[in-house]
Amino acid sequence: MTGRLAEMEARIATVHKLASVISAMRGIAASRAMEARRHVDSIRIFAETIGEAIGHALAEVPEAGRAPAGDGPAGRLALIVIAGEQGFAGAYSERVFDAAAGLLGGAHDLFLAGDRGALVAAEREIKVAWSAPMVGHAAQATALATRLTEAIYRALANGTATRVSIVHAMPGGTQEMQVVTRQIVPFDYRRFPLPAHGVAPRLTLPPETLLARLVEEYVFSELTEAVMLAFAAENEARMRAMIAAHENVTARLDTLVAAARRLRQDEITDEIVELTTGSVPAEEGAERRV
């Protein structure tokens, strides 16, 4: 085997290993995206339960007492952006920041989740007021949502923010991801209808206190859902990137295999020519010796 052919076959073996790694990464991303989708259903059931309780509490609270901290159309914005944590997801984080660009132009404090997002923010010279790593597993979503909830309520209590919005990606399966923007504060009580029956619930807390705590729980559920949806979307983006990478590697592998076959055929041809041209002198020499 010539050096050229040996080098080509070594490259083919390396590309085969790369294809195996890409397939494994695609499988892991698919598994994580499916797991996140299952958790979203549970989070939404929790949110519906809290929402029903808010409806009951609203019936006991005068309308003047329903406005949480930060109510009002104007003021400084606490903008939560949930970007990516790991690589090999294409332009995932860049697209999330593109969707948030309209909100980043006004008075705001950026609350950022995702180390990849921190790189994008640095490249675009966007100041980050608060940051945390994005989750690497679905089980970590509640911990991140808790930290986000505490951070934004601290900003509302300190008066450094009067409004809260969140920007995150949505999983789309085989379709391209979408990025959504949702307002968290001021809290929209119109989403929660008052109970149809006139039976008042038995309360152990003042109605205003109960309502405030329920609102905080609902905001926590919204942030948990956003984190989980973003986690699913990031892994779906990684799946799409790995599918594209696998197609490229397969095409490269086909090219290398074809080139190796040509080299091998050239070697075989050269060996045949050598045998053919080398056999005549050998026979003539034998006759002379006789």
Side-chain angles (χ1 to χ4, degrees):
M1 185 184 294
T2 64
R4 255 183 99 190
L5 182 58
E7 180 184 350
M8 185 68 68
E9 293 189 346
R11 289 174 66 185
I12 289 171
T14 300
V15 174
H16 271 298
K17 292 177 182 178
L18 178 60
S20 298
V21 171
I22 290 172
S23 296
M25 291 178 66
R26 182 177 62 183
I28 292 170
S31 175
R32 289 178 175 174
M34 289 178 61
E35 182 185 9
R37 284 178 174 271
R38 290 195 297 268
H39 281 285
V40 167
D41 294 335
S42 301
I43 295 166
R44 286 174 176 167
I45 292 172
F46 171 74
E48 288 173 4
T49 303
I50 298 298
E52 184 178 351
I54 288 175
H56 284 284
L58 284 173
E60 305 299 319
V61 177
E63 192 166 346
R66 298 178 185 178
D71 191 26
R76 192 171 184 85
L77 173 67
L79 180 61
I80 302 170
V81 173
I82 304 181
E85 179 63 22
Q86 300 172 347
F88 303 104
Y92 173 83
S93 295
E94 287 81 356
R95 290 185 60 185
V96 174
F97 269 88
D98 290 343
L103 296 173
L104 290 169
H108 72 277
D109 287 319
L110 177 59
F111 292 69
L112 177 63
D115 288 345
R116 292 284 167 174
L119 295 176
V120 176
E123 289 173 359
R124 301 187 182 190
E125 298 182 347
I126 299 172
K127 183 180 179 181
V128 178
W130 181 95
S131 65
M134 180 52 176
V135 301
H137 300 279
Q140 300 170 338
T142 53
L144 177 56
T146 299
R147 294 184 63 187
L148 282 168
T149 303
E150 291 173 349
I152 63 172
Y153 269 90
R154 187 163 51 246
L156 291 170
N158 294 339
T160 55
T162 58
R163 298 175 295 133
V164 181
S165 291
I166 185 168
V167 180
H168 66 88
M170 292 285 290
T174 57
Q175 305 297 320
E176 287 294 323
M177 76 175 195
Q178 295 182 342
V179 182
V180 298
T181 301
R182 289 193 290 167
Q183 176 182 288
I184 304 296
V185 176
F187 194 77
D188 185 6
Y189 290 101
R190 294 170 296 179
R191 294 178 288 174
F192 311 99
L194 299 178
H197 58 78
V199 180
R202 181 176 296 177
L203 304 180
T204 58
L205 291 172
E208 291 81 4
T209 303
L210 174 62
L211 181 60
R213 292 185 182 180
L214 288 172
V215 167
E216 186 172 341
E217 283 296 320
Y218 195 87
V219 168
F220 167 74
S221 71
E222 286 186 304
L223 294 177
T224 306
E225 180 185 8
V227 170
M228 199 68 74
L229 289 170
F231 179 64
E234 179 185 352
N235 279 283
E236 285 187 358
R238 187 166 294 110
M239 283 172 54
R240 288 190 290 270
M242 291 302 100
I243 289 171
H246 194 271
E247 290 174 353
N248 291 335
V249 167
T250 300
R252 179 60 178 163
L253 188 59
D254 291 343
T255 302
L256 289 174
V257 169
R261 286 173 179 167
R262 286 194 297 270
L263 284 174
R264 183 58 180 160
Q265 186 61 48
D266 290 344
E267 279 197 356
I268 292 172
T269 302
D270 292 342
E271 289 173 2
I272 292 172
V273 170
E274 264 183 42
L275 289 172
T276 303
T277 56
S279 61
V280 174
E283 290 173 357
E284 291 176 350
E287 289 177 359
R288 291 194 192 97
R289 284 196 299 272
V290 172

